[in-house]
Amino acid sequence: MAMLLLISVLVFSMAFSISSEAFSPQPGICYGQLGNNLPSPEKAVQLINSLHAKRVKIYDANRDILDALKNTRLQVSIMVPNELISNISSNQTLSDHWVLTNIVPFQPHTLIRYLLVGNEILSTTPNGTWPHLVPAMRRIKRSLKTFGIRKVKVGTSSAMDVLETSFPPSNGAFRKDIASGVMKPMLNFLNRTKSFFFLDVYPFFAWASDPVNINLDYALFESRNVTVTDPGTGLVYTNLFDQMVDAVYFAMNRLGFPDVRIFIAETGWPNGGDIDQIGANIYNAATYNRNFVKKVTAKVGTPARPGSVLPSFLFALFNENQKPGPGTERNFGLLYPNGSRVYDIDLSGKTPESEFRPLPPPENNTPFKGRIWCVAARRDNVTALAAALSYACSQGNGTCDPIQPGKRCFKPDSLFWHASYAFSSYWAQLRKIGGTCYFDGLAMQTAKDPSYGSCKFPSVTL
């Protein structure tokens, strides 16, 4: 069995040592818009060009952005919203209308080359939407053909959680709940249309979930001595990214589709985060992203597909202050919203690192030890703060009892202080089951104890 697997991977590798088409290895950039302080699309396009990006990916079909991208050399990826997938899957007229409205007016001056039907549908959408995904992709492809648009590749972005097993890479297999019903027809569609499997790959999250057993340098493409050998194939891995990507190649091969190419729809490393988040800092972000650019522009491929080109998008253009979730979600940008660089990077890979400014040393590559509180970060929006206080008090078990009239934390009778107590109490109770210290940007973590007098704020101890 081991010999058969080895023969299989050798054929697998040889088939992709030369790319079937000339795709630029130069990365693109993901242009998210979840910020209330971002520059205009025109300014953003100037900044994208200053980074020497080859492509740009947006998460909708924003007309202002598509207009700003006219007459540039940037290849563009747009997206059909998740909520339209079910309707489009059964309605060719709706599909035609979407393409007529969102693509046709920009042809040929905006170089729309990729159309993603939804974002990580198989991770976040209830089962009811999954059967509609591939039919929607087929209808969108038919609509493009109707309007004579032939250069647009149709796909959908998937996260690594589409896999049930990923280690060693040769054991890569799709989840049983989607393998035959969704993945097989999708791969058939991608193979038939010569499109890509668009994959979101984040070694950061894999490393951060197990920093004891996964070497940080291995995750950052910096490993000199740490390697992982796949016992099934003998392939040797020098970084976590290759290991993750090859697991998907083997999963596709297992379903009978060894020829489908992977397009890295997102990858990156956060430049900042919350106190309880490890390794999210400027040094690591710059190191990962610069090394990623070196890797893909060198066209070395992966151990399972050596020499293959991996077209890609780095995530993201800006730090986006309105993204929900942990602090890392708001700190993946290459740029601050004012357009200044978080750190120096050249997506063409042509600038020597010796010309980049020095990086600040990392200070959170080991887990924080101590207590953390969650407190109100803003006083200006009274209405929103009151609503967040009400929400926090409606969760958990006795979350807000101490701030009731006559109780030990009622005074000072202040919305700000009551919200701070409620946020800390909520987070201390619910963090382990997914509760976050965010509250639509109204809260922040602190290592400084906000307790006073007899009022002791609940905390999280790490």
Side-chain angles (χ1 to χ4, degrees):
M1 181 62 185
M3 181 58 71
L4 287 174
L5 194 55
L6 182 57
I7 293 171
S8 174
V9 77
L10 287 173
V11 174
F12 191 37
S13 301
M14 290 169 61
F16 284 88
S17 60
I18 301 175
S19 176
S20 59
E21 291 185 45
F23 288 96
S24 171
Q26 194 168 319
I29 193 75
C30 297
Y31 176 4
Q33 302 157 55
L34 295 179
N36 61 9
N37 54 358
L38 301 180
S40 68
E42 291 76 17
K43 177 62 176 176
V45 170
Q46 292 176 15
L47 293 167
I48 291 167
N49 283 321
S50 75
L51 292 167
H52 303 131
K54 177 66 176 178
R55 314 172 181 88
V56 57
K57 171 186 171 184
I58 60 177
Y59 293 83
D60 52 17
N62 185 292
R63 299 183 70 85
D64 291 337
I65 295 176
L66 293 176
D67 274 331
L69 288 164
K70 283 182 178 178
N71 302 314
T72 70
R73 294 184 178 181
L74 291 164
Q75 296 177 357
V76 182
S77 175
I78 65 174
M79 188 172 288
V80 175
N82 291 6
E83 58 269 20
L84 289 183
I85 289 174
S86 293
N87 290 336
I88 283 178
S89 72
S90 58
N91 190 328
Q92 190 63 48
T93 301
L94 178 60
S95 176
D96 291 348
H97 177 74
W98 196 92
V99 169
L100 179 64
T101 303
N102 295 290
I103 298 183
V104 172
F106 303 98
Q107 294 289 315
H109 303 293
T110 300
L111 303 181
I112 299 173
R113 293 293 181 263
Y114 311 102
L115 175 49
L116 302 182
V117 180
N119 187 45
E120 297 188 352
I121 287 295
L122 300 174
S123 299
T124 59
T125 305
N127 292 0
T129 307
W130 296 351
H132 299 284
L133 179 56
V134 179
M137 293 165 68
R138 293 193 191 108
R139 290 200 182 275
I140 288 289
K141 185 66 176 178
R142 194 172 302 141
S143 297
L144 292 169
K145 187 175 181 180
T146 296
F147 293 108
I149 300 170
R150 303 187 182 279
K151 292 184 177 180
V152 176
K153 298 295 185 183
V154 176
T156 188
S157 62
S158 297
M160 287 296 299
D161 60 8
V162 295
L163 296 186
E164 186 163 294
T165 56
S166 60
F167 185 82
S170 60
N171 280 350
F174 292 110
R175 299 193 327 253
K176 290 184 179 65
D177 59 342
I178 59 174
S180 60
V182 182
M183 299 310 305
K184 196 161 188 176
M186 180 195 297
L187 291 170
N188 184 55
F189 170 84
L190 298 177
N191 189 55
R192 180 173 54 80
T193 60
K194 296 182 171 57
S195 189
F196 298 87
F197 189 94
F198 291 88
L199 181 64
D200 297 346
V201 185
Y202 285 99
F204 166 74
F205 292 115
W207 169 78
S209 68
D210 191 10
V212 173
N213 294 308
I214 300 176
N215 182 273
L216 177 59
D217 286 343
Y218 187 73
L220 293 172
F221 300 100
E222 288 281 283
S223 175
R224 299 294 180 265
N225 303 312
V226 178
T227 60
V228 173
T229 301
D230 187 321
T233 61
L235 294 175
V236 178
Y237 291 87
T238 60
N239 63 79
L240 184 55
F241 174 87
D242 282 351
Q243 188 180 311
M244 295 168 74
V245 171
D246 274 1
V248 178
Y249 280 138
F250 279 103
M252 294 193 294
N253 192 41
R254 186 164 269 107
L255 285 185
F257 294 93
D259 298 336
V260 175
R261 300 163 296 182
I262 283 179
F263 195 124
I264 305 302
E266 289 183 13
T267 193
W269 195 284
N271 59 65
D274 296 324
I275 296 172
D276 64 338
Q277 293 188 285
I278 184 175
N281 55 63
I282 290 174
Y283 183 93
N284 290 349
T287 301
Y288 178 86
N289 286 333
R290 289 173 182 175
N291 283 338
F292 176 79
V293 172
K294 286 180 191 174
K295 174 186 172 57
V296 295
T297 54
K299 297 186 283 189
V300 295
T302 67
R305 290 190 177 180
S308 62
V309 172
L310 271 176
S312 60
F313 292 104
L314 271 176
F315 187 87
L317 182 58
F318 298 113
N319 282 352
E320 298 169 65
N321 68 348
Q322 292 184 315
K323 288 198 73 178
T328 49
E329 290 297 304
R330 295 175 287 283
N331 290 281
F332 269 90
L334 303 187
L335 306 176
Y336 294 110
N338 65 7
S340 63
R341 298 193 179 194
V342 179
Y343 47 85
D344 291 336
I345 190 167
D346 176 3
L347 299 191
S348 74
K350 295 179 180 177
T351 302
E353 278 197 35
S354 58
E355 296 184 15
F356 294 150
R357 293 168 297 174
L359 297 169
E363 297 181 349
N364 63 344
N365 282 349
T366 56
F368 178 83
K369 302 292 185 183
R371 298 167 68 195
I372 309 174
W373 293 263
C374 178
V375 297
R378 296 171 54 189
R379 299 173 184 260
D380 55 335
N381 194 332
V382 173
T383 302
L385 197 59
L389 167 62
S390 177
Y391 173 80
C393 291
S394 70
Q395 310 296 309
N397 181 21
T399 305
C400 294
D401 287 354
I403 58 175
Q404 302 308 310
K407 301 293 185 178
R408 66 180 185 277
C409 294
F410 177 70
K411 290 187 177 181
D413 184 6
S414 154
L415 175 61
F416 179 82
W417 281 104
H418 285 180
S420 289
Y421 183 92
F423 294 167
S424 255
S425 183
Y426 165 91
W427 192 52
Q429 283 193 46
L430 302 176
R431 177 178 179 269
K432 289 185 178 179
I433 59 172
T436 64
C437 177
Y438 179 58
F439 293 96
D440 291 329
L442 298 169
M444 66 178 185
Q445 292 182 17
T446 179
K448 183 178 179 181
D449 189 351
S451 303
Y452 55 92
S454 61
C455 178
K456 303 301 180 184
F457 279 50
S459 65
V460 168
T461 301
L462 300 179

